[in-house]
Amino acid sequence: MSRPKAKPTATAAKKKSTTSKVTKTKKVSPYNMYIKSELAKVKEKNPGIAHKDAFKLAAQNWATAPQNPKVAANLAIKEQREHEFKALGISPYPRYTEPPAGHPLVSHITVHSRWGQAMDNGAKLTNVQLTVQGRVVSKREASKKLFFFDIEQDKQTVQVVMSQARYTGDTAQFRKLNRALMVGDIVRVSGFVGKTNTGETSVFATMLPELLAPCLRPIPLRSGLVDSEKRFRNRHLDLLVNPQAKHALQTRSRVLRHIRQFLDTRQFTEVETPILSPSVGGASARPFATQSVAFDKTALYMRVAPELYLKQLVIGGFDRVYEIGKQFRNEGIDADHNPEFTTCEFYMAYAGLEDLMQMTEDLLREMARDIAGSTVLSLPDSTTSIDLGPPFSRIDVTQRLREHVPELPAILDEGSLPALQKILAKRQIPAVQPHTVPRLLDRLIGHYIEPGCVQPTFLYGHPAIMSPLAKCTSEEQSAAARFELFVNGKELVNAYEELNDPNLQREKFRAQAVERDQGDLEVPLPDSAFCDALETGLPPTAGWGMGVDRVVALLAQVAHLRETIAFPIMRPHHG
């Protein structure tokens, strides 16, 4: 009998397991390796720099760094495609030329509407020769002799059939070129129109496709682009992939066109006023500031509103003027606010609030019918709809506010501040500093009244202290001759009868200066030049301003203002 093997001792077992261990090396990501290297460079150049600041500087170029795997992958695709173009002997960026003789350029929609509906399945109209062009959005290789491409232009797609049987040239070139073309490339194809046996209206190519511009980076046509951060940082891809993104911008174009037509037919003159100015006025808002090199570093401000300039044009004899343009306010960003936004303001001599209310209803009602096809608009992510058809509701702001807040002071002026602070504290309504009477009244209105204005509602009768550029409705100077239009709880329009008494205007500017001294830096400094202009004589004038972006959002049925802006501002991206 053989001797049984001895069982290993605990020490031996431990020794064996220790010697059999495989040392694992922790994998360091390309990003971490890059940051480590760049951090060292940044700190060497900037001794004493805080680590947080050094990290930002180190990471800011990661998106374009060769070490970035995405950059490396894109570079590999680019180099491979450029090599293919060179081997094929074609220029990837040719000058644009006329289509081949006898093959006129035809839009995709014409191909479908003129011939597609008139042909039977399998029909070929070899005598209808044409050229189509656009971006390749789909490619299917049935065999080495047959390729199918879907080409899109202006949201219309047409199928192109590339068959070697219809091509009389070099067959090797045919195969290589069709294989080299990729989704995203911009091409032009000439041939005749027909239908496939399955009923697809198509252009059957008789010549090699012409490459007009290659796509050297992938377009997520299949995977999509949903994440809002990626969408708005890559707006060109967003517009290619998401049809609704393009719809919002097209709606914007139609809104602007409609506003101009509405005002032009009523004898308004469109004007332009300064965007950069040494003074700020027309609204309470924090401006963006810069300096003029030409004027010895004089401070200049981007406008927050064009109001004061437009009223001076009325003084100068332009009875009806309007301006559509950008305003800039150095404030927060959310679904309803953007630092750069578009307004339309118009000023009409010899008119009052009722005129403006009627014009507002007419404009929005006509716009909804023209652009959305109905006065009833659905709200995004909601079962609620807005109806612009019936006469808009009206609410007296001061009266409704007293119903909610019976202890509201009888006279709402500068002396009401302690009482208003006590009211908000008692009702636990937060209000940001600094506290001024206009700010706290606006907070109460925003808390109790505005959220309930889902259907179109005119808010009027604001306390006079809230509207320093507006006339009052009575000698008591208690209520402003002003209204705001709210829809879905959001302000779309602000309008009033313009104050044209220069002495009273100076007095109201002085009262605003006190608010500024109290810490409200959004209040503009008094504009004495404007008051001097008023002394020349401003006729009774009604002024009106509309937030174009919010109106576009309503008609395009999107929830966020950035959807209505081609390139909304984004937080600077580091890493």
Side-chain angles (χ1 to χ4, degrees), residues 224-475:
L225 197 61
V226 179
D227 180 77
S228 61
E229 182 77 7
K230 292 180 179 179
R231 284 183 56 215
F232 293 107
R233 289 194 186 278
N234 301 277
R235 192 62 150 146
H236 59 292
L237 293 179
D238 182 33
L239 295 170
L240 286 173
V241 172
N242 297 315
Q244 68 274 17
K246 187 178 288 187
H247 169 70
L249 297 187
Q250 290 171 327
T251 300
R252 182 186 191 88
S253 177
R254 296 180 67 184
V255 166
L256 293 172
R257 191 181 311 125
H258 191 102
I259 293 171
R260 284 190 167 95
Q261 182 181 13
F262 181 88
L263 294 174
D264 289 346
T265 56
R266 287 163 175 77
Q267 289 74 54
F268 280 80
T269 300
E270 183 174 8
V271 298
E272 292 182 338
T273 61
I275 290 177
L276 281 176
S277 176
S279 61
V280 180
S284 291
R286 187 186 295 268
F288 287 94
T290 185
Q291 290 181 332
S292 168
V293 174
F295 297 151
D296 299 323
K297 296 187 177 181
T298 298
L300 293 177
Y301 304 93
M302 298 186 77
R303 71 181 180 192
V304 298
E307 178 172 340
L308 302 188
Y309 284 114
L310 290 172
K311 286 195 280 194
Q312 290 177 65
L313 288 173
V314 178
I315 295 172
F318 285 88
D319 284 352
R320 297 187 177 198
V321 293
Y322 76 93
E323 181 172 13
I324 297 174
K326 294 284 189 181
Q327 317 307 327
F328 307 88
R329 299 182 182 180
N330 198 354
E331 299 169 353
I333 303 176
D334 57 31
D336 302 316
H337 299 86
N338 197 66
E340 175 186 354
F341 61 101
T342 302
T343 65
C344 173
E345 289 200 18
F346 73 73
Y347 292 82
M348 182 167 58
Y350 313 109
L353 279 192
E354 287 297 329
D355 301 300
L356 296 186
M357 286 182 172
Q358 188 61 55
M359 288 180 70
T360 303
E361 291 196 26
D362 292 344
L363 173 62
L364 291 175
R365 199 170 289 130
E366 292 173 14
M367 195 183 295
R369 290 195 185 106
D370 176 47
I371 296 172
S374 171
T375 60
V376 179
L377 307 170
S378 299
L379 295 177
D381 306 321
S382 173
T383 57
T384 306
S385 60
I386 300 296
D387 192 354
L388 297 170
F392 296 175
S393 301
R394 300 188 182 194
I395 293 177
D396 185 314
V397 169
T398 304
Q399 180 180 327
R400 182 65 58 89
L401 196 56
R402 292 190 187 282
E403 293 173 6
H404 288 284
V405 188
E407 66 270 33
L408 201 67
I411 299 176
L412 296 170
D413 57 15
E414 294 86 347
S416 308
L417 183 58
L420 292 174
Q421 289 174 319
K422 184 177 179 180
I423 289 170
L424 269 76
K426 178 182 177 182
R427 294 170 179 259
Q428 297 183 334
I429 301 174
V432 297
Q433 295 284 355
H435 288 174
T436 64
V437 173
R439 276 175 170 264
L440 298 188
L441 286 172
D442 187 65
R443 185 69 186 91
L444 287 170
I445 294 168
H447 182 79
Y448 286 111
I449 302 176
E450 292 173 5
C453 301
V454 177
Q455 296 302 321
T457 305
F458 288 124
L459 300 185
Y460 68 97
H462 298 73
I465 195 171
M466 298 181 69
S467 310
L469 294 169
K471 279 188 173 182
C472 292
T473 56
S474 65
E475 294 295 329

Side-chain angles (χ1 to χ4, degrees), residues 31 56 203 321 338 475 520:
Y31 176 74
K56 285 183 178 180
V203 173
V321 293
N338 197 66
E475 294 295 329
D520 190 352

Side-chain angles (χ1 to χ4, degrees), residues 137-181:
V137 294
S138 175
K139 175 185 177 182
R140 302 174 298 284
E141 186 173 347
S143 70
K144 62 181 181 180
K145 297 181 180 181
L146 182 62
F147 299 83
F148 295 89
F149 296 91
D150 290 334
I151 300 177
E152 182 181 279
Q153 185 184 31
D154 292 335
K155 297 193 298 184
Q156 297 291 328
T157 303
V158 68
Q159 178 174 269
V160 169
V161 181
M162 304 292 303
S163 173
Q164 186 176 305
R166 296 187 181 87
Y167 178 65
T168 58
D170 185 346
T171 57
Q173 183 79 350
F174 173 89
R175 296 172 192 173
K176 289 178 181 178
L177 179 55
N178 280 289
R179 284 178 176 170
L181 293 178

Side-chain angles (χ1 to χ4, degrees), residues 68-132:
N68 187 326
K70 290 183 179 180
V71 174
N74 288 334
L75 185 60
I77 293 172
K78 179 181 178 182
E79 291 175 347
Q80 178 188 351
R81 299 211 70 199
E82 289 175 344
H83 177 74
E84 288 178 336
F85 299 146
K86 187 175 182 180
L88 288 166
I90 61 173
S91 170
Y93 304 101
R95 291 186 64 197
Y96 189 77
T97 59
E98 292 296 319
H103 295 74
L105 187 63
V106 177
S107 69
H108 296 186
I109 193 169
T110 301
V111 172
H112 290 288
S113 61
R114 185 171 178 181
W115 296 292
Q117 299 174 7
M119 290 186 293
D120 296 328
N121 292 359
K124 306 292 187 294
L125 303 181
T126 56
N127 61 320
V128 181
Q129 298 180 333
L130 46 78
T131 299
V132 293

Side-chain angles (χ1 to χ4, degrees), residues 178-249:
N178 280 289
R179 284 178 176 170
L181 293 178
M182 292 177 58
V183 169
D185 288 346
I186 300 169
V187 300
R188 183 166 71 180
V189 180
S190 299
F192 61 84
V193 71
K195 266 192 179 181
T196 62
N197 293 333
T198 58
E200 183 74 22
T201 301
S202 305
V203 173
F204 293 82
T206 55
M207 305 177 188
L208 284 178
E210 299 175 70
L211 178 64
L212 302 180
C215 177
L216 302 178
R217 296 196 176 202
I219 300 174
L221 291 168
R222 291 193 177 185
S223 59
L225 197 61
V226 179
D227 180 77
S228 61
E229 182 77 7
K230 292 180 179 179
R231 284 183 56 215
F232 293 107
R233 289 194 186 278
N234 301 277
R235 192 62 150 146
H236 59 292
L237 293 179
D238 182 33
L239 295 170
L240 286 173
V241 172
N242 297 315
Q244 68 274 17
K246 187 178 288 187
H247 169 70
L249 297 187

Side-chain angles (χ1 to χ4, degrees), residues 487-523:
V487 178
N488 190 30
K490 301 173 184 179
E491 179 192 346
L492 298 188
V493 174
N494 184 28
Y496 41 82
E497 294 177 13
E498 304 298 333
L499 179 61
N500 57 353
D501 180 340
N503 294 329
L504 188 54
Q505 185 65 80
R506 285 192 172 93
E507 183 180 324
K508 292 196 174 188
F509 278 163
R510 283 193 292 269
Q512 276 193 301
V514 173
E515 295 170 15
R516 189 176 177 87
D517 291 340
Q518 292 172 347
D520 190 352
L521 299 180
E522 293 185 355
V523 173

